[in-house]
Amino acid sequence: MTETLTGWAATTKDKPLVQMELPLAQWNEYSVDMNITHCGMCGSDIHTIDEGWGPTAFPCVVGHEIVGVVTRIGDKVTNIKVGDRGGVGPECYSCQKCPTCLEGYQNGCERGYTGTYNGKLPNGDKTYGGYADKWRGDSRWVFKVPDSMSSEDAACFFCAGVTTYAPLKKFNVNEKSIVGVLGIGGLGHFGVLFAKAMGATVVGMSHNDNKKEISKQLGCDDFINTHNESDLARYRKKLTHILCTGTSNDFQWGTFFNLLHVNGNFMNVAAPEWNFPELSPLQLLMSQISISGTAAGPPDIMQEMINFAAEKGLKPWITTYKMSDVNNAISDFRAGKPRFRFVLEN
Ligand SMILES: NC(=O)c1ccc[n+]([C@@H]2O[C@H](COP(=O)([O-])OP(=O)(O)OC[C@H]3O[C@@H](n4cnc5c(N)ncnc54)[C@H](OP(=O)(O)O)[C@@H]3O)[C@@H](O)[C@H]2O)c1
Ligand SMILES: [Zn+2]
Ligand SMILES: [Zn+2]
């Protein structure tokens, strides 16, 4: 008999999600089963439902900021036990044999990692995400939720948290850094929390003035409206880092290069449905900055990030919705209402 989950599935891009029974992945010695208690709502969930990045394999249950209670583990599982609270992010499997995996960068797996939803495991099973009652997957991508953190607070660390922590850490953000966080949404607000916790001066950067006050409440030391020339002029060549989590589609490289100090870093984590504009080699070399990209984070960084967040007592700004209210939560997300993350609760 096939074991099943009950999830809120997208069946086509233009319809509300519907509740549906779907097969759990085949059990193996590394498997973990969890009863999902919480799942954050990420911008990537919406891109996938909308097929904004390309075709989606419907039916698709999105959600990759999952926290649940472990109900069963395979014989080879050592990192988590029945009754523990586990967290899962956007990546749930990689080959573990290629040089990149062996170096600890499983999120850059040379054979491609398996996404927590809209993905395929090596045996061909489809992956289903956290807008559901149950999750089954590989223990090596399940992380223990620190005791000091509530499950609802923990959930969105597993994507939005790690995606912002990883580049800030990689590019050595510290007390001397002046970090611009571009886009104060779900990811952006974690960018602010983590950069502050690393000791940096943080400048919130938004596409209009709507979040000017709230970004200061969040902890930003200052604010730039990216469509306000005098705000931009004030920070000319002042920032050591820009963490790009979202922009409007009139994005121009020059606007942001002008804000970065020599040897600065433009760290992109946003994945909009449009391309960045052309960048001339001359513009790049004259700017003397580095451009990078990050896809969530590998297992080691995931555990490090959640431990760091617990140690620093970081608290995300979230609003909870009942899982059964998921379609209303999606409408509110599309309307730009999160301040700053929505979490679905079973
Ligand atoms: N690299 C990764 O591994 C990874 C992981 C998770 C998500 N992502 C991607 O990162 C992006 C952000 O995700 P999120 O969950 O943080 O989404 P979100 O909460 O919707 O935040 C996106 C932000 O983009 C900004 N923005 C600028 N111009 C906009 C416009 N014209 N319309 C709407 N928003 C605009 C907004 O901030 P302001 O109002 O402050 O301008 C908005 O809050 C998505 O593309 C998502 O797919 C990437
Ligand atoms: Zn995500
Ligand atoms: Zn690999």
Side-chain angles (χ1 to χ4, degrees), residues 95-98 101 109-110:
C95 83
Q96 301 169 96
K97 296 187 183 91
C98 74
C101 278
C109 175
E110 293 171 27

Short mmCIF file of all heavy atoms in Angstrom, two decimals, residues 95-98 101 109-110, ligand 3:
data_model
loop_
_atom_site.label_atom_id
_atom_site.label_comp_id
_atom_site.label_asym_id
_atom_site.label_seq_id
_atom_site.Cartn_x
_atom_site.Cartn_y
_atom_site.Cartn_z
N CYS A 95 24.05 14.41 -4.67
CA CYS A 95 24.68 13.11 -4.97
C CYS A 95 25.64 12.64 -3.88
O CYS A 95 25.86 11.46 -3.68
CB CYS A 95 25.37 13.15 -6.33
SG CYS A 95 27.04 13.87 -6.30
N GLN A 96 26.25 13.57 -3.16
CA GLN A 96 27.20 13.29 -2.07
C GLN A 96 28.48 12.58 -2.51
O GLN A 96 29.23 12.07 -1.69
CB GLN A 96 26.50 12.48 -0.98
CG GLN A 96 25.34 13.28 -0.47
CD GLN A 96 24.39 12.56 0.41
OE1 GLN A 96 24.56 12.68 1.59
NE2 GLN A 96 23.43 11.88 -0.17
N LYS A 97 28.70 12.54 -3.81
CA LYS A 97 29.90 11.88 -4.34
C LYS A 97 30.74 12.81 -5.18
O LYS A 97 31.94 12.58 -5.35
CB LYS A 97 29.48 10.69 -5.22
CG LYS A 97 28.77 9.60 -4.46
CD LYS A 97 28.56 8.39 -5.38
CE LYS A 97 27.79 7.29 -4.67
NZ LYS A 97 26.37 7.40 -4.87
N CYS A 98 30.17 13.84 -5.76
CA CYS A 98 30.95 14.71 -6.66
C CYS A 98 31.91 15.56 -5.81
O CYS A 98 31.70 15.74 -4.60
CB CYS A 98 30.01 15.58 -7.50
SG CYS A 98 29.24 16.94 -6.60
N CYS A 101 30.15 18.27 -3.70
CA CYS A 101 29.48 17.74 -2.50
C CYS A 101 30.50 17.36 -1.44
O CYS A 101 30.33 17.66 -0.26
CB CYS A 101 28.65 16.50 -2.86
SG CYS A 101 27.04 16.89 -3.54
N CYS A 109 25.94 20.98 -5.90
CA CYS A 109 26.18 19.63 -6.42
C CYS A 109 26.30 19.64 -7.95
O CYS A 109 25.47 20.22 -8.64
CB CYS A 109 25.04 18.70 -6.00
SG CYS A 109 25.17 17.06 -6.74
N GLU A 110 27.34 18.97 -8.44
CA GLU A 110 27.62 19.01 -9.89
C GLU A 110 26.55 18.28 -10.70
O GLU A 110 26.43 18.47 -11.90
CB GLU A 110 29.02 18.42 -10.14
CG GLU A 110 30.08 19.33 -9.54
CD GLU A 110 31.48 18.75 -9.54
OE1 GLU A 110 31.80 17.92 -10.41
OE2 GLU A 110 32.27 19.16 -8.65
ZN ZN B 3 27.14 16.22 -5.83
#
